[in-house]
Structures are given as C-alpha cells and as structure tokens.
Amino acid sequence: AQTVTQSQPEMSVQEAETVTLSCTYDTSESNYYLFWYKQPPSRQMILVIRQEAYKQQNATENRFSVNFQKAAKSFSLKISDSQLGDTAMYFCAFKGRDNFNKFYFGSGTKLNVKP
Amino acid sequence: DTGVSQDPRHKITKRGQNVTFRCDPISEHNRLYWYRQTLGQGPEFLTYFQNEAQLEKSRLLSDRFSAERPKGSFSTLEIQRTEQGDSAMYLCASKTAATNEKLFFGSGTQLSVL
C-alpha cells in the first residue's frame, strides 16, 4: 500500500520569505504522480503543483517549486516570496499510474504566513 | 466551469439518524470521488465512480454507507444509523482523464453527529 508522510504539522514564515514543506512517500510502483494541494480556511482544496515521476525536471508554478528526489522518495514544496494568502493547510498526495482510482494524501502541514 | 458543488455545507444530526449528502461534479467530468477528512488529517479515500459505475470502495465504507451516481451525473452518499465516529468532513472531487490527474474538489459537507 502507498503511504504519504508529512512530518511537519505546522510551520510559520514571515511574509516575503521562503519556506519549504517536506513530504516523503512509500511505494513499489515506478510510475506515479505526486501533488501538493492547498486547503485554505474556506475549505476548498486546490491543486498547487504536480510532478510526474518519470520526469527528472522539478516542476515549477510561479512562486511554487518542488524538489523531487525519486531515489529518496522525497517530494518537498518550496514557496518563495510568501504571501499572506498562502496561509493554509498543505497536503502532499500520491497517485500511481497503474491504479487509476486512488489518490493518497498525507496528514498535512499548516502554514502560517506572518505579516 | 461552475466547479464541484456539495450540499449541504453543514449537517448536524442525532446518533442513529440517516443522512444523505449530494455532490454535483463539473459537468464534463466522468470520474467522481468521495473522501472523508477528520480534524488534523488528510483526506481518506472512500469510493470512486467512473460514469455511473462504482468501481472501488474503501474498507472504511462500512455497510452503513452507500453511494450512488445515477446516470453518471450527480452523486449521493448516504450514511444510515449514524454514529459519533462518522463526524467528519465529507469531500467530493471530480476529474476527467484529460485533466492530467488534476482533482477538482468541492467545499465539503461537515457532518456532526451528536
């Protein structure tokens, strides 16, 4: 079974600074997708960034980038120039390419951006 | 694209009562998921539909839980004889193969069982 672990329950960062959220996962599959989802206090989860395991290049979306280390099964999210609107729960998620049904989520990291 | 909508946003019920939640996915999305999220945890998979067919159910989904997706459009999740342990946020999400595995989530239904 796949597992996703987020070892940082809560983090804080000053506005305009950079923060990195950690995620590790366990799988026996070779082809899969990894995601970071954001859940603001309004509750609706939205996709932040997505990485395909067969791609060596780390994904980037504006201020958000990932550090994907396949051998170490590590997938961290870096948020640059943090903004107050980045305050939210962040969930790391895994989906195998062979199992088209399930997305597995970590327990989340609560990020507080301080003015 | 009006997004995934869920109804109701909040539901308070007494233990032993039945409750039903509704999810309206994005219209062109043929894949629909139900997840459960408890406080301080990430979403846990409950069940998955492709069109009207329920293709997978989690062991978390006891026989008190039933989900349907008639005609492959909206979906309902019913919990019979609710228990206090059923208190959670129930999330619906939808996608289609063309979205590169991007899940679109609704705002969820918060269930409180007293």
Side-chain angles (χ1 to χ4, degrees), chain A residues 20 54 76:
Chain A
T20 299
Y54 67 88
S76 61

Side-chain angles (χ1 to χ4, degrees), chain A residues 43-44 50 101-103, chain B residues 9 33 48 56 100 105:
Chain A
R43 304 190 303 191
Q44 192 159 22
R50 168 183 176 274
N101 297 343
K102 292 180 182 177
F103 289 71
Chain B
R9 290 289 298 271
Y33 298 76
Y48 162 78
E56 191 161 354
N100 295 322
F105 281 87

Side-chain angles (χ1 to χ4, degrees), chain B residues 8-93:
Chain B
R9 290 289 298 271
H10 303 273
K11 179 69 178 180
I12 300 173
T13 191
K14 293 182 179 179
R15 188 175 51 188
Q17 297 294 306
N18 300 342
V19 294
T20 300
F21 310 141
R22 178 181 170 120
C23 171
D24 286 273
I26 294 172
S27 58
E28 65 268 25
H29 288 185
N30 64 340
R31 301 178 183 187
L32 186 146
Y33 298 76
W34 285 99
Y35 278 83
R36 182 171 68 187
Q37 185 178 19
T38 52
L39 195 63
Q41 297 298 317
E44 295 175 292
F45 173 81
L46 291 180
T47 191
Y48 162 78
F49 289 86
Q50 186 164 324
N51 299 309
E52 67 275 10
Q54 187 175 21
L55 297 185
E56 191 161 354
K57 292 171 61 174
S58 166
R59 285 174 291 178
L60 292 174
L61 220 61
S62 74
D63 56 4
R64 297 185 298 104
F65 287 72
S66 63
E68 295 182 341
R69 193 183 182 196
K71 302 179 183 178
S73 56
F74 71 92
S75 176
T76 58
L77 177 67
E78 180 183 16
I79 309 174
Q80 296 183 327
R81 305 181 303 280
T82 52
E83 301 173 356
Q84 288 186 327
D86 297 331
S87 296
M89 175 76 75
Y90 290 84
L91 295 169
C92 177

Side-chain angles (χ1 to χ4, degrees), chain A residues 33 35 37 39 42-47 50 52 89 91 95-97 99-108, chain B residues 4 9-10 33 35 37 40-43 45 48 50 55-56 89 91 95 100-103 105-108 110:
Chain A
Y33 300 94
F35 311 84
Y37 277 86
Q39 188 176 40
S42 64
R43 304 190 303 191
Q44 192 159 22
M45 291 183 67
I46 55 175
L47 179 66
R50 168 183 176 274
E52 297 177 50
M89 285 290 293
F91 293 96
K95 183 184 179 297
R97 289 195 69 172
N99 182 342
F100 53 83
N101 297 343
K102 292 180 182 177
F103 289 71
Y104 296 86
F105 289 83
S107 57
Chain B
V4 179
R9 290 289 298 271
H10 303 273
Y33 298 76
Y35 278 83
Q37 185 178 19
Q41 297 298 317
F45 173 81
Y48 162 78
Q50 186 164 324
L55 297 185
E56 191 161 354
M89 175 76 75
L91 295 169
K95 67 181 289 291
N100 295 322
E101 306 302 343
K102 179 177 179 179
L103 274 179
F105 281 87
S107 295
Q110 181 68 54

Side-chain angles (χ1 to χ4, degrees), chain A residues 25-82:
Chain A
Y25 58 94
D26 189 22
T27 183
S28 57
E29 298 187 40
S30 58
N31 293 321
Y32 47 87
Y33 300 94
L34 294 163
F35 311 84
W36 280 97
Y37 277 86
K38 172 184 178 181
Q39 188 176 40
S42 64
R43 304 190 303 191
Q44 192 159 22
M45 291 183 67
I46 55 175
L47 179 66
V48 174
I49 198 165
R50 168 183 176 274
Q51 175 81 39
E52 297 177 50
Y54 67 88
K55 290 186 176 179
Q56 293 186 342
Q57 187 173 6
N58 288 325
T60 300
E61 289 286 343
N62 301 314
R63 297 183 295 108
F64 299 88
S65 61
V66 299
N67 183 3
F68 173 48
Q69 301 290 328
K70 191 172 184 178
K73 295 181 181 175
S74 170
F75 183 62
S76 61
L77 173 70
K78 186 171 82 171
I79 305 174
S80 303
D81 186 25
S82 297

